[in-house]
Amino acid sequence: MKPSTYTASHWGIYEIQRDAQGVPSLAPWARDTDPSPIGLHALAANNAPQRILRPAIRAGWLDRQGASREGRGKEPFVEVPWDEALDLLSGELRRVIDTHGNAAIYGGSYGWGSAGRFHGAAAHLHRFLNVQGGYVRSVDSYSLGAGSVVTPHVVASVDAVLADSDDWETLAQHTRLLVCFGGLPAKTAQTDFGGAGRHRLRDGLRRLAASGVRIVNVGPSREDIEPGIPAQWLPIRPNTDTALMLALAHGVLAEGRHDRAFLASHSVGWERFEAYLLGHADGVAKDAAWAAGITGAPREQIAELAGALGRERTLLTAMWSLQRAHHGEQPFWALVALAAVLGQIGLPGGGFAFGYGAANSVGHRSARFAGPTFPQGRNAVDAFIPVARIADMLAQPGGSFDYNGRTHRYPDIRLVYWAGGNPFHHHQDLNRLAALWRGPETVVAHEQFWNAHAKMADIVLPATTSLERDDIGFSGREAHLVAMRQVLAPAGEARDDFEIFRGLAQRLGVLAEYAEGRDAGQWLRALYEEALPRAHAVGVELPAFDVFWEQGIVDFEGTAPPRSFLQRFREDPAAHPLKTPSGKIEIWSEAIASFGYDDCPGHPSWLEPAEWLGATDAQQLHLVSDQPATKLHSQLDHSALSRGARVDEREPLTIHPEDARERGIQDGQAVRVWNTRGACVAAARLSDGVLRGVVRLATGAWFDPSAEVPGLDKHGNPNAVTSDLPASRLSQGCAAQTCLVQVEPWSGPLPAVSAFELPRFVARGG
Ligand SMILES: Nc1nc2c(c(=O)[nH]1)N[C@H]1C(S)=C(S)[C@@H](COP(=O)(O)OP(=O)(O)OC[C@H]3O[C@@H](n4cnc5c(=O)[nH]c(N)nc54)[C@H](O)[C@@H]3O)O[C@H]1N2
Ligand SMILES: Nc1nc2c(c(=O)[nH]1)N[C@H]1C(S)=C(S)[C@@H](COP(=O)(O)OP(=O)(O)OC[C@H]3O[C@@H](n4cnc5c(=O)[nH]c(N)nc54)[C@H](O)[C@@H]3O)O[C@H]1N2
Ligand SMILES: [Mo]
């Protein structure tokens, strides 16, 4: 059967097939040779019992119009007709703006939402709030909080570096030594924000293996590289990569092999860094023996790797997890500095990169252009927060915080409005967030499913899924546009986020400004047509909208990308300077040094994390809370794929057999993972693929707080125990990977998982 339509998702493109009765099914896109199974489960999961079918309002909020906040997350909901929900919500928005001003609304609404250039939920929320005076926004991401703030000072934005990465073919051809910090995991490369297309990582790895590239996986887990790919594992403790990188630089320097010419012509501040490596000020040489004490890796192995670096074409790449940590700026900065020492930056297959494997598009090069983009308008409110400071904002209205060289104040938030993200997935120390969540007068959520985020809101409005509406799939980093034609009728009374905001905008008298007189179909066409000249400018000829809509996909794989900016910089740094203050790579940053932050000094430095294996009693283990293989964050946790990977309904926790034995833990047994912040129930999975002292528990199990035991999550959500400390005063980034825990066998009866149950519903006044 010839597929006539396609759908795009963060985890891939799928073809929609229909049987004789017209019932749809999904098949992988024929041109994707390594499709992700995640999306194949999206259709069956779409109309699951967890779906939100009607607008619902927390009973206490409805009765007392916001007076009682204590019942948030505990009280039942009352389902109401759309008109009533929109009347109540528009009235509440009016009240909050009139009484407290627009800066009392938090509309940061961080999160991945769904693929599709028009129906991006957060973009609609931002536009809707902008047309009536603005809102408090968030900056940066949970993905790359520390990295994205430090690298523009040092070399270039993370986005520019990602776009500049060599493709897998170039690596296979030129790279001889590939050192990957955090591995090259196929699990994370399944996805790409806005729409992965052809999945490339596993094929890329096979090419590297076939051409004899030496691959060294540095990190706490051997499992971060596909089994079957010949790779050497250099196990190190979590959060100690910076120490290793310093020792590698020291080793190269000690042999006199540092590229003096490159350092002189293309970087600033080498002398200070050299003095630090040699220990001139602190008396501590950052050599292999020193790093062995910190990382736990054998000194000989560190020395051997240092001796091999740069002798042949060497690429250093770091997963994004390294910077999602206390002092997370340092490993990204140290990686750049180490690459500068080797002097191969800008050569094909050499230098440094961020995250081959963290997203599918890293290692792909085709022409890039700004695709169809829904305009969010102008925000009249100045106040903002670095995205991961949400709990601090709720805790200290008016309190001050540092960020990238300046001091700011937290606003006083009365209303939180979320559309297209799940704070009760993504934030750290969820018990703390849950307590602070009771502060604002009103919490609004547009959601598709009754997850913890919806259950913690006052006004819950049911949103459609991307299978239930027309849209345009485009990521900006991959080589395709997809006509995402509606596959299913909306579940229950679900509405598009755009429709919901239209209803509110009409009530608030800003409909014309918000919708500009267009319906969704007219917006799709207009956004597409606006992108045509931008595509043309980079040599991509897009067909007319109607042709695109009919043919279903535009595939411009293989079009010519621009020359690498690092290559041009290498060839002529005066003609092609970087956008750093000096125009060069800043191994010493005068700007960062001038901020005077003790937790982010002027050159890459080893700074002890708040919680790590080098500074603790033997009982504690380091928890790595990584991205889940069977879903995207919390999305589709209710699918058969995700639930099928559970043990007795709990998320598996990978633990070294020796650590398990010492604690009397058997494979498959339920365990209590805990620290002073909270606890969760997980299922032990014994594997010597993690370093001793390290446990790994993927994120994404829907947060399931116990009603009886304070601070206990019953499902295996690591954010019940992670720490909400910022990476540093520079970035205030998410530091989820810095966390120590105790693990012990669960004793007594297991609490039943209730994450997938609906909240209680009552009749009005009941
Ligand atoms: N411990 C720990 N925590 C982490 C991380 C970690 O490494 N460790 N990683 C962090 C990272 S990198 C990230 S990016 C975050 C991810 O955090 P999020 O992006 O917030 O997580 P998602 O589960 O993708 O949340 C998307 C939500 O939007 C809803 N949704 C989807 N489409 C639509 C739509 O069209 N309309 C509406 N209204 N809703 C929609 C989904 O149902 C879902 O609840 O998590 C962070 N949290
Ligand atoms: N299937 C799937 N793919 C995804 C996502 C998803 O939810 N599901 N999320 C997407 C998103 S939003 C993002 S931001 C990217 C994130 O990409 P990353 O942040 O890079 O992904 P993680 O899985 O958190 O971490 C990758 C590996 O790093 C290792 N690691 C952890 N801490 C350290 C450390 O201190 N040092 C070293 N050397 N290694 C360490 C862990 O063993 C882990 O398996 O992934 C994307 N891809
Ligand atoms: Mo992310």
Side-chain angles (χ1 to χ4, degrees), residues 110-114 119 121 142-143 324 419-423 425-428 446-449 451 453 463-464 469 497 625-627 632-635 699 718-719 722 734 736-737:
Y110 179 81
W112 273 49
S114 291
H119 286 291
Y142 279 77
S143 315
R324 204 173 301 116
N422 180 353
H425 162 75
H426 62 234
H427 199 59
Q428 286 57 64
H446 294 194
E447 249 300 347
Q448 300 166 330
F449 297 98
N451 55 20
H453 166 49
T464 53
R469 57 204 184 204
D497 296 284
S625 51
D626 63 328
Q627 312 294 330
L632 176 76
H633 318 133
S634 69
Q635 296 195 49
T699 60
N719 281 327
T722 51
C734 162
Q737 302 302 345

Short mmCIF file of all heavy atoms in Angstrom, two decimals, residues 110-114 119 121 142-143 324 419-423 425-428 446-449 451 453 463-464 469 497 625-627 632-635 699 718-719 722 734 736-737, ligand 1:
data_model
loop_
_atom_site.label_atom_id
_atom_site.label_comp_id
_atom_site.label_asym_id
_atom_site.label_seq_id
_atom_site.Cartn_x
_atom_site.Cartn_y
_atom_site.Cartn_z
N TYR A 110 8.50 26.04 30.29
CA TYR A 110 9.56 25.28 29.64
C TYR A 110 9.09 23.87 29.30
O TYR A 110 8.33 23.27 30.06
CB TYR A 110 10.78 25.17 30.57
CG TYR A 110 11.89 24.37 29.95
CD1 TYR A 110 12.75 24.94 29.03
CD2 TYR A 110 12.05 23.02 30.26
CE1 TYR A 110 13.75 24.20 28.44
CE2 TYR A 110 13.05 22.27 29.67
CZ TYR A 110 13.91 22.86 28.75
OH TYR A 110 14.90 22.13 28.16
N GLY A 111 9.57 23.34 28.21
CA GLY A 111 9.31 21.93 27.90
C GLY A 111 9.25 21.66 26.42
O GLY A 111 9.16 22.57 25.61
N TRP A 112 9.28 20.40 26.09
CA TRP A 112 9.39 19.98 24.70
C TRP A 112 8.06 19.96 23.96
O TRP A 112 8.06 19.95 22.73
CB TRP A 112 10.03 18.59 24.61
CG TRP A 112 11.53 18.62 24.57
CD1 TRP A 112 12.35 19.31 25.41
CD2 TRP A 112 12.38 17.93 23.65
NE1 TRP A 112 13.66 19.09 25.06
CE2 TRP A 112 13.71 18.25 23.99
CE3 TRP A 112 12.16 17.07 22.57
CZ2 TRP A 112 14.82 17.73 23.29
CZ3 TRP A 112 13.25 16.56 21.89
CH2 TRP A 112 14.56 16.89 22.24
N GLY A 113 6.93 19.93 24.66
CA GLY A 113 5.66 19.87 23.93
C GLY A 113 5.72 18.84 22.83
O GLY A 113 6.29 17.76 22.99
N SER A 114 5.14 19.17 21.68
CA SER A 114 5.13 18.24 20.56
C SER A 114 5.80 18.86 19.34
O SER A 114 5.94 20.07 19.26
CB SER A 114 3.69 17.86 20.20
OG SER A 114 3.14 17.08 21.22
N HIS A 119 1.75 24.45 16.03
CA HIS A 119 1.03 24.14 17.27
C HIS A 119 1.95 24.02 18.49
O HIS A 119 1.56 23.40 19.47
CB HIS A 119 0.20 22.86 17.10
CG HIS A 119 -1.02 23.07 16.25
ND1 HIS A 119 -2.09 23.82 16.66
CD2 HIS A 119 -1.32 22.63 15.00
CE1 HIS A 119 -3.02 23.83 15.71
NE2 HIS A 119 -2.57 23.12 14.69
N ALA A 121 2.99 24.52 21.80
CA ALA A 121 2.10 25.06 22.82
C ALA A 121 2.69 26.29 23.51
O ALA A 121 2.00 27.30 23.71
CB ALA A 121 1.78 23.97 23.83
N TYR A 142 17.02 23.29 30.36
CA TYR A 142 17.51 22.22 31.24
C TYR A 142 18.58 21.41 30.52
O TYR A 142 19.48 20.88 31.14
CB TYR A 142 16.36 21.31 31.68
CG TYR A 142 15.55 21.89 32.83
CD1 TYR A 142 14.62 22.90 32.60
CD2 TYR A 142 15.74 21.46 34.13
CE1 TYR A 142 13.89 23.44 33.65
CE2 TYR A 142 15.02 21.99 35.18
CZ TYR A 142 14.09 22.98 34.94
OH TYR A 142 13.38 23.53 35.98
N SER A 143 18.46 21.34 29.21
CA SER A 143 19.41 20.54 28.42
C SER A 143 20.83 21.06 28.57
O SER A 143 21.76 20.29 28.80
CB SER A 143 19.02 20.60 26.94
OG SER A 143 17.65 20.42 26.77
N ARG A 324 25.32 19.23 33.03
CA ARG A 324 24.10 19.31 33.84
C ARG A 324 24.48 18.92 35.27
O ARG A 324 24.00 17.96 35.84
CB ARG A 324 23.02 18.38 33.26
CG ARG A 324 21.60 18.79 33.63
CD ARG A 324 20.54 17.97 32.89
NE ARG A 324 20.68 18.10 31.46
CZ ARG A 324 20.99 17.09 30.65
NH1 ARG A 324 21.13 15.88 31.11
NH2 ARG A 324 21.12 17.32 29.36
N ALA A 419 1.88 25.46 29.32
CA ALA A 419 1.34 24.76 28.14
C ALA A 419 2.50 24.15 27.38
O ALA A 419 3.30 24.86 26.79
CB ALA A 419 0.56 25.73 27.26
N GLY A 420 2.63 22.82 27.41
CA GLY A 420 3.66 22.16 26.64
C GLY A 420 4.96 21.95 27.39
O GLY A 420 6.04 22.28 26.90
N GLY A 421 4.89 21.43 28.58
CA GLY A 421 6.08 21.10 29.36
C GLY A 421 5.59 20.47 30.64
O GLY A 421 4.41 20.58 30.98
N ASN A 422 6.49 19.82 31.34
CA ASN A 422 6.07 19.13 32.56
C ASN A 422 7.06 19.40 33.68
O ASN A 422 8.06 18.69 33.83
CB ASN A 422 5.96 17.62 32.27
CG ASN A 422 5.51 16.84 33.49
OD1 ASN A 422 5.40 17.38 34.60
ND2 ASN A 422 5.28 15.56 33.29
N PRO A 423 6.80 20.46 34.47
CA PRO A 423 7.73 20.78 35.57
C PRO A 423 7.85 19.64 36.56
O PRO A 423 8.91 19.47 37.18
CB PRO A 423 7.12 22.03 36.21
CG PRO A 423 5.71 22.08 35.74
CD PRO A 423 5.68 21.41 34.41
N HIS A 425 8.01 16.68 35.78
CA HIS A 425 9.03 15.79 35.24
C HIS A 425 10.40 16.44 35.40
O HIS A 425 11.32 15.84 35.94
CB HIS A 425 8.81 15.50 33.75
CG HIS A 425 10.05 14.96 33.10
ND1 HIS A 425 10.47 13.68 33.30
CD2 HIS A 425 11.03 15.55 32.35
CE1 HIS A 425 11.63 13.49 32.68
NE2 HIS A 425 11.99 14.61 32.11
N HIS A 426 10.52 17.67 34.89
CA HIS A 426 11.88 18.14 34.60
C HIS A 426 12.62 18.76 35.78
O HIS A 426 13.85 18.83 35.74
CB HIS A 426 11.92 19.08 33.39
CG HIS A 426 11.17 20.36 33.49
ND1 HIS A 426 10.23 20.72 32.54
CD2 HIS A 426 11.21 21.37 34.37
CE1 HIS A 426 9.76 21.92 32.85
NE2 HIS A 426 10.34 22.33 33.94
N HIS A 427 11.93 19.19 36.80
CA HIS A 427 12.65 19.90 37.85
C HIS A 427 13.27 18.93 38.88
O HIS A 427 12.83 17.81 39.04
CB HIS A 427 11.77 20.93 38.53
CG HIS A 427 12.58 21.95 39.27
ND1 HIS A 427 13.52 22.75 38.64
CD2 HIS A 427 12.64 22.27 40.58
CE1 HIS A 427 14.10 23.52 39.52
NE2 HIS A 427 13.60 23.25 40.72
N GLN A 428 14.29 19.46 39.57
CA GLN A 428 14.98 18.65 40.58
C GLN A 428 14.29 18.84 41.93
O GLN A 428 13.57 19.80 42.14
CB GLN A 428 16.45 19.11 40.66
CG GLN A 428 17.28 18.64 39.47
CD GLN A 428 16.73 19.10 38.13
OE1 GLN A 428 16.67 20.27 37.86
NE2 GLN A 428 16.29 18.17 37.31
N HIS A 446 -2.37 23.45 30.40
CA HIS A 446 -2.94 22.77 29.24
C HIS A 446 -2.21 21.43 29.17
O HIS A 446 -0.98 21.43 29.06
CB HIS A 446 -2.65 23.50 27.93
CG HIS A 446 -3.29 24.84 27.79
ND1 HIS A 446 -3.35 25.49 26.58
CD2 HIS A 446 -3.89 25.66 28.70
CE1 HIS A 446 -3.96 26.67 26.74
NE2 HIS A 446 -4.29 26.80 28.02
N GLU A 447 -2.89 20.35 29.22
CA GLU A 447 -2.22 19.04 29.15
C GLU A 447 -3.03 18.06 28.32
O GLU A 447 -4.21 18.28 28.04
CB GLU A 447 -2.00 18.45 30.56
CG GLU A 447 -0.53 18.40 31.02
CD GLU A 447 0.41 17.57 30.16
OE1 GLU A 447 -0.02 16.79 29.29
OE2 GLU A 447 1.64 17.72 30.36
N GLN A 448 -2.33 17.00 27.92
CA GLN A 448 -2.97 15.93 27.17
C GLN A 448 -3.33 14.76 28.09
O GLN A 448 -4.32 14.08 27.87
CB GLN A 448 -2.01 15.45 26.08
CG GLN A 448 -1.62 16.54 25.11
CD GLN A 448 -0.42 16.18 24.25
OE1 GLN A 448 0.45 15.42 24.67
NE2 GLN A 448 -0.38 16.73 23.05
N PHE A 449 -2.50 14.56 29.10
CA PHE A 449 -2.64 13.37 29.94
C PHE A 449 -2.66 13.76 31.41
O PHE A 449 -2.04 14.75 31.81
CB PHE A 449 -1.49 12.39 29.67
CG PHE A 449 -1.50 11.88 28.25
CD1 PHE A 449 -0.67 12.45 27.29
CD2 PHE A 449 -2.36 10.85 27.88
CE1 PHE A 449 -0.70 11.98 25.98
CE2 PHE A 449 -2.39 10.38 26.58
CZ PHE A 449 -1.55 10.96 25.61
N ASN A 451 -1.02 13.45 34.04
CA ASN A 451 0.25 13.19 34.73
C ASN A 451 0.31 14.08 35.98
O ASN A 451 -0.64 14.80 36.29
CB ASN A 451 1.42 13.44 33.78
CG ASN A 451 1.37 14.84 33.17
OD1 ASN A 451 0.71 15.73 33.69
ND2 ASN A 451 2.06 15.03 32.05
N HIS A 453 1.85 16.77 36.59
CA HIS A 453 1.74 18.19 36.28
C HIS A 453 0.26 18.61 36.23
O HIS A 453 -0.13 19.62 36.82
CB HIS A 453 2.46 18.43 34.94
CG HIS A 453 2.21 19.73 34.28
ND1 HIS A 453 2.31 20.93 34.92
CD2 HIS A 453 1.89 20.02 32.98
CE1 HIS A 453 2.06 21.91 34.06
NE2 HIS A 453 1.79 21.38 32.89
N ALA A 463 -5.65 19.39 25.91
CA ALA A 463 -5.06 19.78 24.62
C ALA A 463 -5.02 18.59 23.67
O ALA A 463 -4.89 17.44 24.09
CB ALA A 463 -3.64 20.30 24.85
N THR A 464 -5.11 18.89 22.39
CA THR A 464 -4.98 17.84 21.37
C THR A 464 -3.53 17.38 21.29
O THR A 464 -2.61 18.07 21.73
CB THR A 464 -5.37 18.38 19.99
OG1 THR A 464 -4.62 19.57 19.73
CG2 THR A 464 -6.87 18.66 19.89
N ARG A 469 -4.19 17.03 14.74
CA ARG A 469 -4.27 18.35 14.10
C ARG A 469 -3.31 18.39 12.92
O ARG A 469 -2.39 17.58 12.84
CB ARG A 469 -3.94 19.44 15.14
CG ARG A 469 -2.59 19.25 15.77
CD ARG A 469 -2.45 19.90 17.13
NE ARG A 469 -1.08 19.75 17.61
CZ ARG A 469 -0.72 19.78 18.89
NH1 ARG A 469 -1.61 19.96 19.84
NH2 ARG A 469 0.54 19.62 19.24
N ASP A 497 -4.18 24.00 21.45
CA ASP A 497 -3.79 25.13 22.31
C ASP A 497 -4.19 26.46 21.66
O ASP A 497 -4.66 27.38 22.34
CB ASP A 497 -2.28 25.09 22.58
CG ASP A 497 -1.86 23.85 23.37
OD1 ASP A 497 -2.09 23.82 24.58
OD2 ASP A 497 -1.33 22.90 22.75
N SER A 625 21.05 10.39 36.78
CA SER A 625 19.65 10.33 36.31
C SER A 625 19.64 10.75 34.86
O SER A 625 19.58 11.93 34.53
CB SER A 625 18.76 11.23 37.17
OG SER A 625 19.31 12.54 37.26
N ASP A 626 19.73 9.77 33.97
CA ASP A 626 19.93 10.05 32.55
C ASP A 626 18.61 10.03 31.78
O ASP A 626 17.54 9.82 32.36
CB ASP A 626 20.92 9.03 31.96
CG ASP A 626 20.40 7.61 32.04
OD1 ASP A 626 19.65 7.31 33.00
OD2 ASP A 626 20.71 6.82 31.15
N GLN A 627 18.71 10.25 30.49
CA GLN A 627 17.50 10.27 29.64
C GLN A 627 17.04 8.84 29.38
O GLN A 627 17.86 7.94 29.20
CB GLN A 627 17.79 10.96 28.31
CG GLN A 627 18.51 12.29 28.42
CD GLN A 627 17.70 13.36 29.10
OE1 GLN A 627 16.48 13.37 29.02
NE2 GLN A 627 18.37 14.26 29.79
N LEU A 632 10.45 9.85 25.60
CA LEU A 632 11.07 11.17 25.66
C LEU A 632 10.64 11.82 26.96
O LEU A 632 9.47 12.17 27.12
CB LEU A 632 10.63 12.03 24.48
CG LEU A 632 11.16 13.46 24.52
CD1 LEU A 632 12.63 13.51 24.10
CD2 LEU A 632 10.34 14.37 23.63
N HIS A 633 11.57 11.95 27.89
CA HIS A 633 11.24 12.53 29.20
C HIS A 633 10.03 11.80 29.78
O HIS A 633 10.05 10.59 29.86
CB HIS A 633 11.00 14.05 29.08
CG HIS A 633 11.97 14.75 28.19
ND1 HIS A 633 11.62 15.65 27.24
CD2 HIS A 633 13.32 14.64 28.11
CE1 HIS A 633 12.69 16.08 26.61
NE2 HIS A 633 13.73 15.48 27.11
N SER A 634 8.98 12.57 30.13
CA SER A 634 7.79 11.91 30.68
C SER A 634 6.80 11.54 29.58
O SER A 634 5.79 10.88 29.85
CB SER A 634 7.10 12.82 31.69
OG SER A 634 6.51 13.95 31.06
N GLN A 635 7.08 11.97 28.35
CA GLN A 635 6.10 11.75 27.29
C GLN A 635 6.05 10.27 26.92
O GLN A 635 7.08 9.65 26.70
CB GLN A 635 6.44 12.58 26.05
CG GLN A 635 6.35 14.07 26.32
CD GLN A 635 6.33 14.89 25.03
OE1 GLN A 635 5.56 14.61 24.12
NE2 GLN A 635 7.17 15.90 24.97
N THR A 699 15.30 9.17 33.97
CA THR A 699 14.18 10.05 34.27
C THR A 699 12.91 9.55 33.57
O THR A 699 12.98 8.70 32.69
CB THR A 699 14.45 11.47 33.77
OG1 THR A 699 14.65 11.42 32.36
CG2 THR A 699 15.66 12.08 34.44
N PRO A 718 13.72 9.82 39.61
CA PRO A 718 14.94 10.28 40.31
C PRO A 718 14.81 11.70 40.85
O PRO A 718 15.55 12.07 41.78
CB PRO A 718 16.02 10.20 39.23
CG PRO A 718 15.29 10.21 37.93
CD PRO A 718 13.96 9.56 38.19
N ASN A 719 13.92 12.49 40.28
CA ASN A 719 13.81 13.86 40.77
C ASN A 719 13.16 13.95 42.15
O ASN A 719 13.04 15.04 42.71
CB ASN A 719 13.13 14.76 39.74
CG ASN A 719 14.10 15.16 38.63
OD1 ASN A 719 15.30 15.32 38.89
ND2 ASN A 719 13.61 15.29 37.42
N THR A 722 16.98 14.21 43.56
CA THR A 722 18.03 15.08 43.01
C THR A 722 18.05 16.41 43.73
O THR A 722 17.10 16.78 44.42
CB THR A 722 17.81 15.33 41.50
OG1 THR A 722 16.45 15.77 41.32
CG2 THR A 722 18.07 14.08 40.68
N CYS A 734 20.68 23.94 35.45
CA CYS A 734 20.24 22.69 36.09
C CYS A 734 21.46 21.82 36.39
O CYS A 734 22.33 21.64 35.56
CB CYS A 734 19.30 21.96 35.13
SG CYS A 734 19.05 20.21 35.46
N ALA A 736 21.24 18.49 37.73
CA ALA A 736 20.60 17.24 38.16
C ALA A 736 21.57 16.11 38.41
O ALA A 736 21.32 15.24 39.25
CB ALA A 736 19.58 16.81 37.10
N GLN A 737 22.72 16.11 37.69
CA GLN A 737 23.61 14.94 37.80
C GLN A 737 24.49 14.98 39.05
O GLN A 737 25.33 14.10 39.24
CB GLN A 737 24.50 14.83 36.55
CG GLN A 737 23.75 14.72 35.24
CD GLN A 737 22.82 13.54 35.18
OE1 GLN A 737 22.88 12.62 35.98
NE2 GLN A 737 21.90 13.56 34.23
N1 LIG B 1 17.02 14.33 37.04
C1 LIG B 1 17.02 14.83 35.81
N2 LIG B 1 16.03 15.65 35.43
C2 LIG B 1 16.03 16.16 34.19
C3 LIG B 1 17.04 15.83 33.26
C4 LIG B 1 18.09 14.97 33.70
O1 LIG B 1 19.04 14.68 32.95
N3 LIG B 1 18.03 14.48 34.97
N4 LIG B 1 17.01 16.35 31.99
C5 LIG B 1 16.35 17.62 31.82
C6 LIG B 1 16.17 17.95 30.40
S1 LIG B 1 17.58 17.94 29.44
C7 LIG B 1 14.98 18.31 29.87
S2 LIG B 1 14.94 18.93 28.26
C8 LIG B 1 13.74 18.28 30.66
C9 LIG B 1 12.51 17.83 29.84
O2 LIG B 1 11.35 18.25 30.47
P1 LIG B 1 10.00 18.51 29.65
O3 LIG B 1 10.32 18.95 28.26
O4 LIG B 1 9.15 19.40 30.47
O5 LIG B 1 9.41 17.04 29.62
P2 LIG B 1 8.28 16.39 28.69
O6 LIG B 1 7.93 15.10 29.33
O7 LIG B 1 8.75 16.34 27.29
O8 LIG B 1 7.07 17.39 28.88
C10 LIG B 1 6.26 17.78 27.84
C11 LIG B 1 4.83 17.87 28.35
O9 LIG B 1 4.05 18.55 27.38
C12 LIG B 1 2.86 17.82 27.11
N5 LIG B 1 2.50 18.11 25.71
C13 LIG B 1 2.99 17.52 24.59
N6 LIG B 1 2.47 18.10 23.49
C14 LIG B 1 1.65 19.08 23.92
C15 LIG B 1 0.81 20.01 23.24
O10 LIG B 1 0.74 20.08 22.02
N7 LIG B 1 0.10 20.87 24.03
C16 LIG B 1 0.16 20.84 25.38
N8 LIG B 1 -0.58 21.73 26.06
N9 LIG B 1 0.92 19.94 26.04
C17 LIG B 1 1.67 19.09 25.32
C18 LIG B 1 3.19 16.37 27.38
O11 LIG B 1 2.03 15.64 27.71
C19 LIG B 1 4.19 16.50 28.55
O12 LIG B 1 3.55 16.44 29.78
O13 LIG B 1 13.91 17.41 31.78
C20 LIG B 1 15.03 17.79 32.59
N10 LIG B 1 15.03 17.00 33.82
#
